[in-house]
Structure formats: C-alpha cells, structure tokens
Amino acid sequence: MGTGMLPRLRSACVLATVLVLDGCVYALGSHALTGTARPKTDADQVVLYSSPPLHSEVIGQVYSRSTLEGSDQDKIEAAVSRLRKEAAEMGANGIVLQFSPGAPPSGKPGSLVSDAKIPAFVTQNDHDVLLTGEAIYTPAPADKPRH
C-alpha cells in the first residue's frame, strides 16, 4: 500500500461513518441505583406508568436522551427504548415517567402510559428529546386459589 493510499483510506472511512450516521436517531441513557438491584429483566417487558402501582419498590432513577436528525416520533421511540434498557439493567419491570426531574407522579396508582400519551412526558431541549423516570419493581400478583 503506497503512502498516498493511507490518507485516502482514512478519508473514505470517515465519510462512510458520516453517511451511516446521517439521518439516524441516537439515544443515550443512564441510571442510578437508589434501591436494591434485582436480576436483569427483558427491556421489552418494562411497563410505563404515570404513577406507581401499589406495592411497587423504587430501584433507581433512569434517564434517556435521543438526538441527531429524525422525526420527533423517531426520537421519542428511541428515548423510550433506551429508558427501558436502562431500567432492565437494574432489574426493573416498570418505569414511572416524570414530567420533569423531581416532579411528583400523576394519576391513580398504577396508571399505565399509552404510546399516545408519552409525548406529554417529553422534555425537548433544542433538537433533543429527554425522558426521566423512576425504575420500579412490582411483584407479580399472587396466583388466585382454584375452586
């Protein structure tokens, strides 16, 4: 490989990376354990709430931010997905979404958040979508006795 080939190869790699990222939505996330960690759960099974269900236990705080280009809906979906992954890492099976960091929950205990209502919990900062919540664990209901 000639000496002139290496700089061209690097330029091609940088260009390819920029092209791959152009038009993509990227989500960052973090979590802080404030309670007892549990075994990891499946992120797809993490349920979103507007207020905690009865008998739930707070495991920690979760945060996600989606950025770059894309529709608001794509950014929201990426932020929710990342939020669920962060909660699942701590063993949570639910997230109580917060309107803003430190805001009290709203609604009846255990109120679920539908996809259509998620935008009410979104904070937008320039072109970013931010979501915060409490990662919770809610025990499965006891099996009902058979008659």
Side-chain angles (χ1 to χ4, degrees):
M1 184 179 282
T3 57
M5 188 69 164
L6 190 56
R8 281 186 262 163
L9 183 59
R10 284 187 188 142
S11 295
C13 288
V14 169
L15 178 61
T17 302
V18 169
L19 290 175
V20 167
L21 291 177
D22 186 36
C24 292
V25 175
Y26 184 72
L28 303 170
S30 64
H31 62 266
L33 185 66
T34 60
T36 304
R38 296 183 169 274
K40 290 181 183 180
T41 57
D42 181 357
D44 292 333
Q45 302 301 313
V46 175
V47 179
L48 303 179
Y49 298 95
S50 62
S51 62
L54 297 175
H55 310 293
S56 63
E57 163 191 340
V58 176
I59 295 176
Q61 298 291 316
V62 288
Y63 165 85
S64 68
R65 174 180 150 211
S66 60
T67 187
L68 295 179
E69 298 299 319
S71 71
D72 285 346
Q73 186 59 39
D74 289 343
K75 291 179 196 177
I76 290 170
E77 288 173 8
V80 168
S81 176
R82 185 59 190 212
L83 205 67
R84 283 183 164 133
K85 286 178 185 173
E86 293 295 329
E89 283 289 315
M90 293 186 285
N93 60 4
I95 300 169
V96 179
L97 293 176
Q98 296 174 324
F99 284 105
S100 60
S106 65
K108 296 178 185 177
S111 296
L112 297 174
V113 176
S114 67
D115 289 345
K117 292 188 179 185
I118 290 173
F121 295 91
V122 169
T123 302
Q124 290 197 310
N125 179 6
D126 294 324
H127 300 290
D128 298 348
V129 166
L130 310 169
L131 281 173
T132 59
E134 286 185 325
I136 61 169
Y137 176 79
T138 303
D143 290 336
K144 293 181 180 178
R146 296 179 191 182
H147 295 280

